[in-house]
Amino acid sequence: MTERSRASVTRDVHEFVVGPSRIHWDGASLVLDLDEIGMPLPQRVRGRVRVWPRGLSTFATALDDGGRHRWGPIAPCARVEVDLQQPGVRWSGEAYLDSNEGDEPIDRPFTDWDWSRASLRDGSTAVIYDVRQKHGGDRVIAQRFSADGAAEPFEAPARQKLPRTLWRIDRHMRNEPGEPARVLHTLEDTPFYVRSMLDSSLLGERVTSVHETLNVPRLMARTTRLMLPWRMPRVK
């Protein structure tokens, strides 16, 4: 990922262009054409990612008490096809696409959150947002999305503590009692954010969950800000 200035960004009703990369909707799928340089070891990342929604969702909700930060899935049940020429990678599988937006910096209302997504046997997707605020109580958003995008709330189970990360980040998972969650694979482990695959239990099923934890004070720390340009360079 590269941060680019306004001069490198254009958008119209057909496409969204960021530098040499672009996103557009072809009528059936969301197409991402990538042409970037990976970091911290420079390498070309070039190819196409295509997301095929099974249905589009209009669900949206506030993440904070003030309603200044909002989340909603665009395609909660989808399929992805990845075809990269550089590096030579090609695969397909289950996918999920959502959107976050805010009217203020993320560090004002939040201290941290845990988020998880799991595909269920009937083809639906269960999402849990477990949010801690600086002021006010915890907010737990638990929604089950059917293949056509329709949303239905469900009662989230109790929090279960997960092992700390290599960067000593505390994280938790909403998981049914008596069925402990296990970390299968850590996909990304940073000073302020971690994403993993979990073996967990939800809505009476044993599922594989994508799980992430964001630690906002760590994100805003000066040491983190000094490291970010090495992973996310900034160009005009």
Side-chain angles (χ1 to χ4, degrees):
M1 184 184 296
T2 301
E3 286 196 343
R4 302 182 185 274
S5 71
R6 184 176 298 178
S8 298
V9 179
T10 60
R11 182 182 66 174
D12 58 28
V13 296
H14 301 292
E15 65 178 1
F16 176 51
V17 179
V18 183
S21 301
R22 64 190 287 263
I23 302 174
H24 71 279
W25 175 256
D26 68 1
S29 65
L30 187 69
V31 182
L32 298 83
D33 291 315
L34 306 176
D35 188 358
E36 300 290 342
I37 301 294
M39 297 294 284
L41 299 177
Q43 61 174 336
R44 177 71 65 178
V45 180
R46 179 186 288 144
R48 172 168 285 188
V49 177
R50 193 185 293 265
V51 180
W52 302 84
R54 295 189 176 94
L56 299 177
S57 176
T58 59
F59 176 88
T61 188
L63 294 174
D64 62 314
D65 289 345
R68 299 182 65 82
H69 297 262
R70 296 163 297 278
W71 159 78
I74 299 171
C77 306
R79 182 169 179 79
V80 65
E81 297 178 357
V82 178
D83 187 3
L84 301 182
Q85 288 76 53
Q86 293 177 273
V89 176
R90 192 173 187 180
W91 56 272
S92 62
E94 292 294 315
Y96 165 93
L97 178 67
D98 68 2
S99 172
N100 287 75
E101 62 181 25
D103 304 323
E104 62 183 5
I106 197 172
D107 62 307
R108 291 187 182 175
F110 303 121
T111 59
D112 62 275
W113 70 50
D114 295 287
W115 174 94
S116 66
R117 166 184 67 87
S119 297
L120 303 176
R121 292 193 198 103
D122 64 355
S124 63
T125 296
V127 180
I128 300 177
Y129 245 115
D130 192 359
V131 180
R132 265 73 62 195
Q133 303 179 89
K134 285 184 176 179
H135 308 287
D138 296 349
R139 289 178 66 88
V140 180
I141 301 163
Q143 293 284 332
R144 183 173 185 168
F145 298 92
S146 59
D148 63 3
E152 179 183 7
F154 66 91
E155 186 71 25
R159 295 178 76 196
Q160 175 187 320
K161 189 175 181 61
L162 295 173
R164 277 183 169 181
T165 69
L166 291 176
W167 288 95
R168 310 303 292 168
I169 293 178
D170 289 321
R171 51 183 174 163
H172 297 81
M173 176 66 176
R174 293 275 174 174
N175 191 73
E176 293 182 354
E179 298 284 343
R182 292 188 303 115
V183 178
L184 298 175
H185 184 56
T186 297
L187 305 174
E188 190 170 1
D189 191 353
T190 79
F192 63 92
Y193 172 87
V194 61
R195 173 172 289 206
S196 303
M197 301 290 292
L198 304 183
D199 174 46
S200 58
S201 186
L202 187 64
L203 295 171
E205 299 182 22
R206 201 69 190 174
V207 297
T208 300
S209 296
V210 179
H211 178 274
E212 68 177 27
T213 298
L214 173 68
N215 185 300
V216 179
R218 288 277 197 93
L219 171 63
M220 304 309 296
R222 181 173 177 79
T223 51
T224 301
R225 291 175 172 269
L226 290 172
M227 287 189 288
L228 278 176
W230 297 97
R231 289 299 302 269
M232 192 187 303
R234 298 172 183 173
V235 300
K236 291 185 178 181

